[in-house]
Amino acid sequence: MTTQPLLLVSDHVEGCVHLVTVPDGTEAGRLPGRHLSEHAGFLTLPEGRVACVDDRRGELLVLDPYGRRPVAAAIPVAVPAEHLATDPSGRWVAVTTGLGKNTAPWSDLLTVVDLATGQTTRVRTRVGEPGVTVLGSGEPLVVLRHREPGALAVHPLADLLAAPPGCPSVTPAACLPLPDDGHGDAQDPRHARVFAATGEGVHRARRDGDSLVPEPPIPWDAPARGWYLRLDPRRRALWSTLRGGPPDPLRWPEWTNQAWRHDLDTHTTTRTGLGPGLVFRLALARAHTAFARIHPDGDELILLDTDGTTRRVALPAMDGAPRRGSTPWEGVQRRAVAASPDTDWVAVTRGGHGEVHLVDAATATEANRLRLDTPLHHGGHATLLPQPGGTARDLVGR
């Protein structure tokens, strides 16, 4: 089945989700009054569906843009949503809670959802900003990645579903120690492995029954670390962006950035320089990996080809962009980047301007510039939906 690619763009500040066709930009639908969790992001599900969390209404949304109903399900979950993940079958979804708009994490609630029946369970785990993966489909394990103290906490899904009402506290069936600075999660469903990014490198563990067996960490091999980790399911690789340079966020224009790729089958690692400034999330297109780089001297979209070739597309400046002498996080405009392994299209937002640049990665040229009727403050968030028949999925929300 081949259909025209669809792009979801969330203006989480204004409270609207735009659905447009690519590359012409025709509006195919919209969801007003929806304030999606930018941190938890979008989670791809089978048959072209996608899950996300409405942080204001406290709902897990299952969107079916290729189907007859844009919102296939709206299921109550605990918020503020921190991370969400699914098992390989796409039936089970886990949602953790974290910081939200607070100065410190305050919620310890974990929600598990059965998308086949609509059943939900809420339990208490540990206050923090936990990452999450769901290993296996027959008898899944929910694995929480905690910080301070760092740990991988293993909860059999059956135990969570059997918990009584009232949000009881649950004890992990098993725990593995981690460094305290974990940030970034991925899983390889082929070998039931879970990965966690830390300052030391990428820690990994494989499933053994209802427990995890640790394996040697994958080093960064650089005076830097990754704060973001994702699986490339088609090319069987882990990706991250390594950030180095001065730790002071006021000196963010001096931060160094490298694209880090680790092949899961050959166990080889490659690093590619991206330039100074702010680079964070990445997106995976058919034959390219895309990064948006913000810097006072000029922003750009960076396209890294599978053969190692790097091409750069200049992006127009944003009003309210991060400036020298201030942090790149608070009260500034940013960019979101989106792509799909089914196409060569890459989308990158222009925060505060309500614009989305559509770039053909094969030619490194801007093919269209979409102008939405909401500003996309803070850059919004976006995902380019895979084709309904696609089978390669990342099982962690991005």
Side-chain angles (χ1 to χ4, degrees), residues 333-355:
Q333 302 297 350
R334 293 188 294 274
R335 300 185 185 274
V337 61
S340 168
D342 299 315
T343 75
D344 292 316
W345 297 113
V346 175
V348 58
T349 65
R350 189 183 182 202
H353 296 261
E355 294 183 351

Side-chain angles (χ1 to χ4, degrees), residues 150-236:
L152 288 176
V154 182
H155 298 267
L157 180 68
D159 292 354
L160 300 179
L161 295 176
C167 303
S169 180
V170 294
T171 301
C175 269
L176 284 183
L178 274 183
D180 290 346
D181 62 351
H183 194 293
D185 309 278
Q187 76 145 300
D188 176 13
R190 181 178 296 182
H191 300 296
R193 280 187 172 89
V194 62
F195 303 90
T198 75
E200 295 179 356
V202 178
H203 285 251
R204 52 187 171 174
R206 58 178 172 83
R207 178 176 182 173
D208 183 10
D210 285 346
S211 187
L212 295 175
V213 177
E215 298 180 331
I218 307 168
W220 299 120
D221 285 331
R225 68 156 294 180
W227 296 92
Y228 178 76
L229 194 65
R230 75 175 300 175
L231 174 74
D232 182 345
R234 292 176 71 247
R235 292 180 283 265
R236 301 275 306 143

Side-chain angles (χ1 to χ4, degrees), residues 97-119:
T97 54
L99 194 66
K101 293 295 183 182
N102 300 277
T103 57
W106 59 275
S107 175
D108 58 359
L109 289 175
L110 163 71
T111 309
V112 176
V113 179
D114 182 350
L115 295 182
T117 65
Q119 177 189 0

